[in-house]
Amino acid sequence: MGFDLEKSRIIALPEDAFYISDFITEDEEDWLLQKVKSAPLPRWTQLSHRRLQTWPSALTKGNALLESPLPAWLRSPIVEPRFAALCIFNDAPHKAPNHVLVNEYQPGQGIMPHEDGAAYYPLVATVSLGAPIVLNLYHKHAQGDREENEAPAKTGRDVAGIPDTNRRPQYRILQERRSLLITRGKMYTDFLHGIEETTRDEDLSSRSICNWELLREREPYQSGWYERKTRTSLTYRDVLQVVKMGNTLKFLSGR
């Protein structure tokens, strides 16, 4: 597959974001989902609103990654050759992603508005599998002053400690199965992103979905809604600080 990144730009967004609807094939999607499902049970972390896998490992308390390669099934065919052909990680410190989160969202599950933070190079590449879902984007400082709006970024909660379920997104992106979404630069640093906890995504149209013209199929959403099914995402990032296994104890002890 050959892709023109510039033709995939989401022009309704203020900074760099790109959407490729057919990034992987149906056979590749099936194979990747099988790899996700066949992972050993200890690989899964069960959270209150979803479950996830972390590859090659979770970050340390100092937001560093212990040096270890990604498994082959997360590298090919996504990183090699497709990310390499797009050159999207060329400016990142390690020239390629070194960390992947595998998130599974059942119908009704989601994630509060949040930011990925300074542990990563400001670029996220997400491949969606299994089913579509709507990603909501919120400007971090759209209301109030900076200090008040940093609370959702860190905790997914408003300043009173109560989940901010009534906040309206500034932008909405419909991520189809087999698609790739890339956000970088200010789209990474200045915006929160979240997924609504609902069994049905609604208000779907060219007026409300900022990547509408880039969708592979628009007919399934002409009614303005769809029922959620299980969606799995592969989120690729570059962790800035990587420590070698031999230096792990020294690093953790702060010496």
Side-chain angles (χ1 to χ4, degrees):
M1 294 182 179
F3 305 110
D4 186 330
L5 194 59
E6 193 55 39
K7 289 182 179 178
S8 303
R9 183 183 293 274
I10 305 176
I11 58 176
L13 294 177
E15 291 288 343
D16 281 359
F18 307 87
Y19 181 81
I20 298 173
S21 60
D22 279 306
F23 185 67
I24 60 173
T25 67
E26 291 186 40
D27 287 344
E28 289 167 342
E29 177 188 39
D30 291 342
W31 180 76
L32 287 165
L33 284 171
Q34 184 57 42
K35 286 292 187 180
V36 170
K37 293 176 183 176
S38 63
L41 189 59
R43 268 290 176 183
W44 287 103
T45 299
Q46 185 66 54
L47 304 178
S48 58
H49 300 285
R50 68 190 192 286
R51 63 175 186 163
L52 61 84
Q53 298 175 22
T54 306
W55 296 92
S57 64
L59 303 189
T60 69
K61 291 183 179 180
N63 282 334
L65 178 67
L66 303 182
E67 187 178 53
S68 182
L70 291 173
W73 65 272
L74 285 172
R75 297 198 308 270
S76 178
I78 292 175
V79 177
E80 305 149 0
R82 293 183 186 148
F83 282 179
L86 288 169
C87 302
I88 55 176
F89 280 91
N90 279 18
D91 293 331
H94 302 100
K95 310 301 180 184
N98 56 16
H99 193 256
V100 178
L101 284 184
V102 179
N103 280 288
E104 181 187 83
Y105 296 93
Q106 300 282 350
Q109 295 181 333
I111 185 170
M112 295 293 292
H114 67 284
E115 64 180 347
D116 291 331
Y120 306 96
Y121 178 75
L123 186 155
V124 179
T126 301
V127 177
S128 292
L129 309 172
I133 209 164
V134 171
L135 180 74
N136 295 326
L137 301 176
Y138 308 79
H139 202 289
K140 282 201 285 188
H141 315 307
Q143 300 175 356
D145 59 26
R146 182 179 181 91
E147 181 178 356
E148 290 179 337
N149 279 277
E150 282 184 345
K154 296 177 180 177
T155 66
R157 298 175 178 271
D158 64 16
V159 293
I162 301 171
D164 186 2
T165 56
N166 297 317
R167 187 176 183 185
R168 293 182 62 84
Q170 192 166 356
Y171 300 102
R172 302 170 75 217
I173 298 173
L174 177 54
Q175 296 176 263
E176 298 166 286
R177 58 188 300 181
R178 305 193 303 279
S179 69
L180 171 69
L181 174 65
I182 303 166
T183 55
R184 66 188 187 191
K186 288 187 177 180
M187 288 307 304
Y188 181 96
T189 58
D190 292 2
F191 284 82
L192 311 179
H193 55 279
I195 294 172
E196 184 180 358
E197 293 180 356
T198 182
T199 58
R200 175 166 151 157
D201 279 311
E202 299 181 322
D203 189 22
L204 306 179
S205 70
S206 59
R207 297 184 302 276
S208 62
I209 299 298
C210 63
N211 64 321
W212 186 261
E213 297 304 319
L214 295 172
L215 295 178
R216 175 178 61 250
E217 297 179 287
R218 292 185 280 276
E219 290 78 10
Y221 316 111
Q222 293 296 342
S223 62
W225 60 273
Y226 70 87
E227 295 287 344
R228 287 251 189 105
K229 297 180 180 179
T230 300
R231 180 254 188 173
T232 301
S233 63
L234 310 179
T235 301
Y236 288 80
R237 290 173 292 200
D238 183 5
V239 179
L240 297 176
Q241 189 171 6
V242 177
V243 295
K244 294 184 181 297
M245 295 297 290
N247 295 330
T248 301
L249 293 178
K250 182 186 294 185
F251 175 81
L252 294 177
S253 65
R255 294 180 183 176

